[in-house]
Amino acid sequence: MLQAIKQALSQWTPGEPPAATWFLPELRTVLRAEFTGAYRPAATEAGWSLDFMYGAGDNERLFSTNFRAYVARMSPSEQFLGHSNPHLVQTEQRNRVMPLGELARLKVDQPYTPLFRAIGILGHDQLRVLICDGPRQLSWIGATREEPFTKRELTLLRRLTRPLQRRLRLEQQLGQPRPGALPGMFEVALEALPTAALVVGPGGGIAMANSLGLTLLERGRKDVLDAIAESTRGGSDAGPFSITPVTAPGWPTYMLAIRKAPPELAERILLVQQRWGLSVRQARVLELVANGESNKEIARALGCAEVTIENHLTELFRRSGARSRAGLVGRLFGLQG
């Protein structure tokens, strides 16, 4: 049966339903699970949502409804269920099948007990894998049941991980239009840009980003989304991003957000942001200082009080070792490596 599943995953016709719609019932049988599921989280300005969720099991409808409701109540933090940033998944979690005990040893910050209770699996054993394409999460795939899973069942899911990765990547690049899915050629074009670029989906979540964009997300996802929202509301001359609608026949409208800072300045800002441990907002203040803007102009651009900008500058001076705005800019461009 395992070989038949792998064979089916390797065959794909454009327009057919996502593999999860038939794969999850098969996986449930192979693993002797009570429930199997697949989902991908989506970051929005307000918090979290799901690009998609599929499930197989006796209580699939109740499970999915309760899980979506739980996700909708989550705060807009940088983490999603303790899995760190789903747009930049930790290396040790990528495409790695993990039982519940091993997941617990990652010492994630957010407790799982409230979630497990909400969806009715408290006390169950689990197997799960984050299917990734590089650092990007394509889908969470998991199974749950009351009886502990065996090493054999863990091995079976491991053997399906690579075929699943290939299939999900193909579906994302070439599949039917849906939130969170764009053609692979678009991703290649983003990577060629010399500055941070991100694509916002119709639901308000980040559908795609180039490497510099992913770096911004890693530093502070909410700040990035706030900055994109600021740029969208203010028109072409406002905010740190230029915003362009992306449309195509049969596709919902996406928004392309390209960071306005010149490549040299953008690279320097990203470099010192990492070296000095700056938040996205602090980095934005530094960028505006480097552009020669006054505290009043910066406060107007960011929609905050001048005293807030003064506080940001004090912290920038402390972290950089500079004593003046000129010294701060000098350290920005004088930093080597």
Side-chain angles (χ1 to χ4, degrees):
M1 186 174 184
L2 189 71
Q3 189 59 38
I5 294 175
K6 292 169 70 174
Q7 180 66 24
L9 287 171
S10 69
Q11 300 173 350
W12 179 72
T13 302
E16 70 179 31
T21 58
W22 61 262
F23 168 77
L24 291 174
E26 299 286 349
L27 182 65
R28 183 187 177 208
T29 299
V30 168
L31 298 181
R32 298 184 295 120
E34 293 181 26
F35 180 85
T36 52
Y39 67 81
R40 182 171 60 222
T44 70
E45 186 177 1
W48 291 97
S49 64
L50 300 176
D51 276 339
F52 61 81
M53 180 170 186
Y54 304 101
D58 294 336
N59 298 317
E60 185 274 329
R61 186 180 297 274
L62 179 62
F63 187 104
S64 299
T65 299
N66 290 347
F67 184 67
R68 285 185 178 276
Y70 183 90
V71 169
R73 294 192 300 268
M74 290 174 59
S75 64
S77 65
E78 296 310 309
Q79 293 193 328
F80 181 87
L81 299 179
H83 292 159
S84 190
N85 188 333
H87 303 288
L88 202 63
V89 177
Q90 299 165 335
T91 302
E92 61 268 26
Q93 295 194 62
R94 299 175 196 170
N95 303 310
R96 180 179 176 185
V97 179
M98 303 179 72
L100 185 59
E102 187 172 353
L103 179 61
R105 287 194 291 274
L106 290 179
K107 299 179 179 180
V108 295
D109 293 332
Q110 182 168 333
Y112 282 82
T113 299
L115 168 63
F116 294 165
R117 183 180 293 113
I119 59 180
I121 62 170
L122 189 63
H124 286 204
D125 194 21
Q126 294 181 51
L127 286 179
R128 75 96 158 115
V129 56
L130 301 182
I131 302 295
C132 297
D133 181 16
R136 300 172 179 83
Q137 183 177 335
L138 298 175
S139 181
W140 178 98
I141 302 286
T144 177
R145 72 183 186 197
E146 292 189 55
E147 177 188 354
F149 286 99
T150 65
K151 290 184 178 180
R152 176 181 178 276
E153 289 156 346
L154 185 146
T155 299
L156 289 174
L157 184 53
R158 281 176 177 163
R159 290 178 179 174
L160 290 170
T161 297
R162 288 291 293 173
L164 272 170
Q165 183 202 37
R166 288 192 292 267
R167 176 58 176 265
L168 292 173
R169 182 168 53 197
L170 186 64
E171 287 185 354
Q172 180 174 350
Q173 292 176 342
L174 302 175
Q176 293 299 307
R178 66 177 187 272
L182 285 172
M185 289 184 294
F186 197 85
E187 188 169 8
V188 173
L190 285 187
E191 203 59 53
L193 295 174
T195 188
L198 308 96
V199 178
V200 181
I206 301 297
M208 188 177 291
N210 63 8
S211 297
L212 291 173
L214 287 171
T215 300
L216 285 182
L217 287 171
E218 184 183 18
R219 300 287 179 265
R221 178 188 57 79
K222 187 177 185 303
D223 285 340
V224 172
L225 287 166
D226 287 345
I228 291 175
E230 171 196 334
S231 303
T232 303
R233 290 191 300 267
S236 59
D237 295 329
F241 290 90
S242 62
I243 306 296
T244 305
V246 178
T247 60
W251 287 82
T253 298
Y254 289 77
M255 302 299 292
L256 173 62
I258 300 177
R259 192 168 171 85
K260 294 177 181 177
E264 181 182 1
L265 176 57
E267 291 173 3
R268 285 290 172 181
I269 294 291
L270 286 174
L271 177 60
V272 300
Q273 186 176 0
Q274 183 178 14
R275 292 277 183 87
W276 298 347
L278 305 181
S279 69
V280 171
R281 181 49 61 100
Q282 289 167 341
R284 174 64 172 150
V285 171
L286 176 59
E287 177 185 322
L288 294 174
V289 169
N291 283 332
E293 299 194 24
S294 67
N295 286 7
K296 185 176 182 179
E297 291 170 329
I298 296 173
R300 186 185 303 116
L302 300 185
C304 61
E306 283 189 58
V307 66
T308 301
I309 303 304
E310 292 169 4
N311 291 337
H312 282 315
L313 279 171
T314 298
E315 186 62 18
L316 286 169
F317 292 154
R318 185 186 71 81
R319 297 193 183 201
S320 67
R323 296 184 178 182
S324 66
R325 296 168 71 96
L328 183 61
V329 175
R331 288 181 181 270
L332 171 63
F333 286 98
L335 190 62
Q336 301 299 315

